[in-house]
Amino acid sequence: MDNWDEIRTAFQVARLRTVSGAAEVLGVHHATVIRHIDSLEGKLGAKLFQRHARGYTPTEAGEDLLQVATATQDQLTQLAGRIHGRGASVSGELIVTCLPQMSPLMAKTLTKYQADHPDVRVELVVDIRPLRLEYGEAHVALRAGQPGNDLDNVVQELGTMPMGLFAHRDYIFRHGPLNGMEDIPNHRFVRVTNIDPRAPFMRWIGEHVPDENVIYKCSSTNAVQDAILAGAGIGFLPSYMGHERENMVEVMEPNPEWFSTFWCITHVDLHRTAKVSSFVNFLKEEAKAWPDL
């Protein structure tokens, strides 16, 4: 039915037995109450109330409506309690989205968080596409670059991720070291196929490395990382990843122009729920100890 306002009005009249009482509870004029009752009776084709000087008495049809509406109100009250309980507990599904270069750090963070909160089921969505928090695609997003100006989002700076140019020792053995910017045309590079202008290190490689020197392109940053670690060529890795991998060599001094600021973003409607708030606070503390972040 598409006349919920009228049903709610009839429920209050049946419960309170007076138009004035229903009007006060609903916060409307008594004429609105009478109009709703008349309209609903017309749609149903039945009298819901007997009118008399002392008020309104439900007919048999009115008693049926009162019974169904009372049960519905009880169910809605129980539902509200369950929803509130979920919001107050640290349990259930937690969807986090991050960029590929953050995935190793997030795997460790989420595992530690679940150790403290075993009733939380985690889904990590690794994607360069910004998921829509307003549609529930994720509860928490980790994004780089400009965080945007959506007033429905709560944005908190998480840290800065240094990026570095790295190559495997096998590559350097075959092609020699990179001796400054002027030596770039003598080397082989790895990068993503489609450069994201929001990523400073991607812009840099697009501007300074000729296309003929890019001998290995990948559809994702994860694939780029795999190629660099395999010795295919020189390319960008998160500094923490390059430094902790055996046989990786940083071929150029790190440039702050390559670095990206990372943001923790939540939707304003979920930001203060126990689960999201708990994870965001945990994440911010963990980020303080992340290498190079």
Side-chain angles (χ1 to χ4, degrees):
M1 299 178 70
D2 59 358
N3 50 338
W4 292 110
D5 285 343
E6 295 170 357
I7 293 173
R8 183 177 62 162
T9 299
F11 168 62
Q12 293 298 341
V13 172
R15 187 174 68 89
L16 299 171
R17 308 298 171 110
T18 67
V19 168
S20 59
E24 182 177 354
V25 169
L26 296 170
V28 299
H29 194 273
H30 73 274
T32 301
V33 175
I34 294 173
R35 186 174 67 253
H36 282 182
I37 296 300
D38 291 343
S39 174
L40 185 59
E41 288 181 333
K43 292 172 183 175
L44 296 176
K47 284 292 183 182
L48 297 174
F49 300 97
Q50 294 291 337
R51 281 79 163 170
H52 50 79
R54 290 175 299 180
Y56 279 42
T57 300
T59 61
E60 185 176 350
E63 290 289 356
D64 284 345
L65 183 143
L66 176 61
Q67 183 177 1
V68 172
T70 300
T72 302
Q73 184 184 50
D74 289 343
Q75 290 177 339
L76 290 173
T77 300
Q78 293 171 15
L79 175 62
R82 292 197 300 271
I83 292 173
H84 177 75
R86 288 174 190 155
S89 66
V90 183
S91 62
E93 185 179 46
L94 176 67
I95 306 174
V96 180
T97 180
C98 72
L99 295 171
Q101 56 264 42
M102 298 290 292
S103 180
L105 294 174
M106 289 308 301
K108 296 176 182 178
T109 299
L110 288 167
T111 299
K112 289 180 67 175
Y113 179 75
Q114 284 186 300
D116 293 339
H117 303 92
D119 293 330
V120 173
R121 301 185 306 277
V122 166
E123 179 179 352
L124 179 63
V125 182
V126 179
D127 202 329
I128 61 171
R129 177 178 64 93
L131 270 62
R132 297 173 298 180
L133 303 183
E134 67 273 21
Y135 290 110
E137 292 184 339
H139 298 114
V140 180
L142 276 70
R143 295 177 183 165
Q146 296 300 316
N149 56 0
D150 191 333
L151 297 179
D152 288 333
N153 288 336
V154 177
V155 180
Q156 301 177 73
E157 185 173 339
L158 194 60
T160 300
M161 175 172 284
M163 302 292 292
L165 273 175
F166 288 87
H168 195 278
R169 291 189 187 278
D170 289 345
Y171 170 86
I172 294 176
F173 178 78
R174 296 193 307 270
H175 301 281
L178 176 64
N179 295 312
M181 296 286 293
E182 64 278 4
D183 197 27
I184 285 178
N186 300 318
H187 281 274
R188 300 159 68 88
F189 287 82
V190 181
R191 69 165 173 83
V192 291
T193 305
N194 298 313
I195 292 177
D196 185 347
R198 295 172 299 177
F201 66 94
M202 288 191 189
R203 289 201 306 270
W204 187 92
I205 202 169
E207 293 169 357
H208 293 90
V209 176
D211 284 344
E212 58 267 27
N213 290 89
V214 181
I215 53 82
Y216 198 125
K217 292 182 180 180
C218 307
S219 60
S220 72
T221 53
N222 275 350
V224 169
Q225 293 168 6
D226 291 341
I228 298 168
L229 295 173
I234 297 171
F236 279 106
L237 294 175
S239 294
Y240 81 88
M241 184 180 294
H243 291 151
E244 69 182 17
R245 293 298 198 282
E246 189 176 359
N247 294 320
M248 297 305 297
V249 177
E250 194 163 17
V251 299
M252 186 179 289
E253 284 293 317
N255 185 341
E257 292 182 5
W258 303 337
F259 301 175
S260 294
T261 300
F262 276 80
W263 309 88
C264 174
I265 304 175
T266 54
H267 193 270
V268 65
D269 289 342
L270 295 177
H271 178 68
R272 295 193 181 278
T273 61
K275 179 173 57 181
V276 172
S277 176
S278 167
F279 176 70
V280 169
N281 290 334
F282 184 89
L283 174 64
K284 289 162 63 177
E285 286 301 312
E286 284 296 302
K288 294 176 182 179
W290 283 349
D292 298 317
L293 193 64

